[in-house]
Amino acid sequence: MAYDDLRDWIKRLDKAGELKRIKVEVDPILEMAEIADRTAKLGKGTAKAGGPALLFENVKGYPGARVLMNQFGSLDRMKLALETDSLDAIAERIRVLIKPVMPVGMLDKLKMLPMLAEIGSFFPKVISSRDAACKQVIKRADRGDVIDLLSFPVLKTWPQDGGRFITLPCVVTRDPKSGKRNVGMYRMQVYDGQTTGMHWQRQKVAAEHMRERLRAAAGDVAAGVDLMALTAGGTAAAVSTGSIPSVAQAKIRGERMEVAVAIGTDPATTFSAIVPAPPDVEEYLIAGFLRQKPVELVKCETVDLEVPAHAEIILEGYVELGELRTEGPFGDHTGFYTMQDEYPVFHITCITHRKDPVWAATLVGKPPMEDAWMGKAVERIFLPLMQLTMPEIVDVNLPAEGVFHNLMIVAIRKSYAGQARKVMSGIWAMGQAMFTKCVIVVDEDCDVQDVAEVTLRVANNIDPERDIQFTLGPVDSLDHASRLPNYGSKMGIDATRKWAAEGFTREWPPMLTMDKEVKSKIDAIWKKLGIE
């Protein structure tokens, strides 16, 4: 059965022996992060890598508060979170949905009805406020209630961070054109009890929602406004008041976009906030698919949005169009600090929460970290969507040390000359994969999950001048090495066997492999040899 909420998930972690309760007093300023960092690196390189989930029950300065960290921090816990024995099994469910067997007769059509009914059961449903656990405590600014985000144990994770950051939020916005909701995960620097930064990078869906609002507000003068810079970090100079026509300033001043933030949701909903969802598919629907049960939502108090009804904490509010504030630095998943930049400001109008809420947080930094396992789950589960566009792809690997956007290894079923380069171009044209700095393409008989095998293939199979391709395009905002913010070069390496049709006229040697019969015979007597 699907987890009802974060507390149900914590109970399951405890029962499975995957939870460590920390009774010693620990400070949310740096100390929790250091403990989480050491825990995440336990068993590095082994099948049991990642250490346990951590529930801090004695938080310095916050009597009675609890903080959950590293909840997704191992392969076993990632599978437990999504209630599966295999991440590839979820991928297979997706594969069946996107490529069903087409019915040829009435009987086949009838056979499809259960599948269609199952899909219909994944859609989220709105429940009443009285049944929503997140409404147990309600504080509204318009009623004179005290709004104080700092009453929660918000973490500071690295010494040079610009302040405390909310690191595991589900940020809800609505497309002003289609009305479709989006749930994304964007870090939030806490400025004070009522305001935070909203670090949605310019390529993120929420930033596009804000640009749509800006276009509508600015009207016919929108062409004179640097909308990209006004919605997500460009340089401060790019968003200076002088660069925006005064008539546009007047039109957007005071215009707002509503935002809601859920902290501490069930694991499938939290995970869905990071997945590369197809543009027309809501994350709430993806969460329902993953948990095999619809997500229950509730309407917010002060904004026109729906949020997970059983979340621990809900923040409601708005960003004011055109208002930016310096955000950062922040110790990021690249292992380096993301430096200061200008981002929108989130103003809190209401906080609702459960009694004695659990604060959910994560730590990012030098891999491997908790997010490495979340990234691996995304890699396995959404492989069918890549294969839908490029069916020659056999498998992909996003190594943790490549921090998701720096390295992708792809195995392909090669059937024509230049196919490896075609795949590189396809990856760079595919959603968030466009940020991939380095793409390595190997043949289908190479296990891309075995980095040692990939290294052997690359080192042996390439002529560097011939097989390395460079191109220019958008890069991740966190890439500190690119020539310009958000724009730089990418590299593709074709490590496949070269064909005569590709200009290779020499004989390509076979790789070393032992005879199958010999291998089977030795397999049968291996234990008797006493070698290990």
Side-chain angles (χ1 to χ4, degrees):
M1 294 295 291
Y3 303 111
D4 292 330
D5 51 32
L6 186 68
R7 299 180 187 209
D8 196 18
W9 168 228
I10 290 173
K11 289 177 184 177
R12 184 69 181 90
L13 288 170
D14 212 359
K15 184 177 180 180
E18 291 282 346
L19 182 72
K20 178 65 177 178
R21 295 177 182 271
I22 308 297
K23 305 291 187 181
V24 176
E25 184 182 73
V26 181
D27 198 325
I29 306 299
L30 301 181
E31 291 181 1
M32 286 184 182
E34 176 63 12
I35 293 170
D37 189 19
R38 295 189 189 193
T39 302
K41 291 174 172 57
L42 290 175
K44 182 178 178 181
T46 72
K48 289 296 181 182
L54 304 172
L55 186 63
F56 296 93
E57 297 182 321
N58 188 354
V59 184
K60 184 177 180 179
Y62 296 87
R66 292 173 292 168
V67 176
L68 179 67
M69 298 187 73
N70 205 37
Q71 60 177 296
F72 300 110
S74 73
L75 179 59
D76 285 346
R77 275 203 304 288
M78 199 66 246
K79 291 189 291 186
L80 194 65
L82 300 179
E83 300 174 279
T84 183
D85 294 328
S86 166
L87 297 175
D88 290 323
I90 300 177
E92 189 57 35
R93 285 174 53 210
I94 292 177
R95 189 172 281 109
V96 171
L97 283 177
I98 61 179
K99 296 184 71 174
V101 176
M102 297 306 295
V104 294
M106 181 57 69
L107 183 60
D108 287 337
K109 291 179 181 179
L110 291 173
K111 288 179 179 178
M112 289 189 70
L113 290 177
M115 185 180 73
L116 296 174
E118 182 186 29
I119 296 171
S121 71
F122 301 151
F123 284 87
K125 63 178 183 179
V126 178
I127 66 173
S128 67
S129 293
R130 67 175 177 273
D131 297 322
C134 71
K135 302 279 191 178
Q136 290 174 351
V137 178
I138 301 175
K139 296 180 180 179
R140 296 178 53 154
D142 60 359
R143 293 194 313 208
D145 298 333
V146 175
I147 302 295
D148 185 11
L149 184 54
L150 291 171
S151 65
F152 301 109
V154 188
L155 275 62
K156 180 178 180 180
T157 54
W158 295 104
Q160 295 180 37
D161 282 357
R164 300 186 184 209
F165 283 82
I166 303 172
T167 54
L168 206 62
C170 295
V171 179
V172 185
T173 58
R174 193 186 301 277
D175 188 320
K177 285 186 173 180
S178 68
K180 172 186 171 291
R181 293 169 298 221
N182 181 75
V183 185
M185 189 168 289
Y186 320 113
R187 73 178 190 237
M188 300 164 61
Q189 180 176 345
V190 176
Y191 296 130
D192 53 46
Q194 299 79 42
T195 59
T196 78
M198 190 60 78
H199 189 270
W200 49 49
Q201 298 165 24
R202 59 184 58 206
Q203 301 90 354
K204 302 297 184 180
V205 175
E208 179 58 27
H209 288 176
M210 190 172 180
R211 282 192 291 275
E212 288 295 338
R213 292 295 304 272
L214 279 164
R215 290 186 187 102
D220 57 358
V221 297
V225 182
D226 184 354
L227 297 178
M228 193 72 80
L230 281 171
T231 53
T235 62
V239 296
S240 63
T241 304
S243 67
I244 305 171
S246 58
V247 63
Q249 292 178 49
K251 286 199 171 190
I252 65 176
R253 188 174 294 122
E255 291 286 337
R256 298 174 174 179
M257 184 176 86
E258 295 180 334
V259 181
V261 178
I263 300 168
T265 65
D266 69 272
T269 301
T270 300
F271 175 71
S272 297
I274 73 163
V275 303
D280 295 327
V281 179
E282 282 195 355
E283 287 76 11
Y284 288 142
L285 176 58
I286 292 174
F289 169 81
L290 291 172
R291 65 204 298 268
Q292 297 285 280
K293 184 179 178 181
V295 177
E296 291 189 334
L297 306 178
V298 67
K299 291 185 175 297
C300 288
E301 298 287 310
T302 60
V303 296
D304 184 22
L305 291 166
E306 296 79 33
V307 291
H310 307 300
E312 294 293 313
I313 302 165
I314 300 294
L315 311 178
E316 302 177 13
Y318 63 89
V319 292
E320 189 166 308
L321 304 189
E323 180 190 11
L324 301 174
R325 184 168 172 178
T326 301
E327 188 262 9
F330 177 72
D332 229 314
H333 71 266
T334 59
F336 295 85
Y337 284 95
T338 302
M339 302 312 293
Q340 290 184 334
D341 217 330
E342 303 294 303
Y343 278 89
V345 180
F346 176 56
H347 298 265
I348 301 172
T349 57
C350 178
I351 297 178
T352 73
H353 61 82
R354 301 177 68 137
K355 296 175 182 177
D356 303 317
V358 178
W359 185 264
T362 190
L363 172 70
V364 293
K366 293 179 183 178
M369 289 282 194
E370 178 180 11
D371 61 344
W373 302 105
M374 299 171 77
K376 183 58 65 175
V378 169
E379 170 202 298
R380 304 320 305 158
I381 293 171
F382 289 90
L383 175 60
L385 294 181
M386 293 187 69
Q387 292 170 325
L388 185 65
T389 304
M390 292 180 283
E392 63 265 60
I393 291 179
V394 174
D395 199 4
V396 299
N397 182 16
L398 298 168
E401 293 75 13
V403 296
F404 313 122
H405 53 79
N406 282 344
L407 176 63
M408 181 186 294
I409 305 168
V410 187
I412 66 167
R413 190 173 297 107
K414 186 173 177 179
S415 56
Y416 54 83
Q419 193 168 6
R421 294 176 188 258
K422 174 258 189 184
V423 168
M424 296 172 196
S425 298
I427 289 168
W428 289 324
M430 186 184 296
Q432 297 298 308
M434 67 178 170
F435 300 130
T436 309
K437 186 185 289 190
C438 301
V439 177
I440 297 174
V441 184
V442 295
D443 290 299
E444 62 181 307
D445 61 349
C446 178
D447 180 3
V448 295
Q449 307 302 327
D450 185 345
V451 176
E453 174 69 10
V454 173
T455 303
L456 180 72
R457 299 289 186 111
V458 173
N460 280 281
N461 283 4
I462 70 167
D463 176 284
E465 184 179 27
R466 180 195 64 206
D467 296 328
I468 296 179
Q469 174 177 325
F470 296 97
T471 189
L472 292 170
V475 297
D476 195 279
S477 297
L478 305 183
D479 188 343
H480 63 268
S482 61
R483 63 196 65 195
L484 293 169
N486 304 293
Y487 180 76
S489 65
K490 310 160 191 290
M491 178 175 70
I493 300 176
D494 177 2
T496 61
R497 297 177 182 88
K498 301 305 176 296
W499 293 5
E502 294 171 310
F504 189 83
T505 56
R506 299 173 62 195
E507 182 180 2
W508 193 275
M511 287 195 74
L512 306 180
T513 55
M514 182 51 70
D515 184 86
K516 289 184 178 179
E517 290 184 6
V518 173
K519 288 175 70 69
S520 295
K521 182 177 180 180
I522 300 304
D523 284 343
I525 66 171
W526 182 254
K527 289 185 179 180
K528 297 178 183 180
L529 300 177
I531 295 175
E532 63 176 27

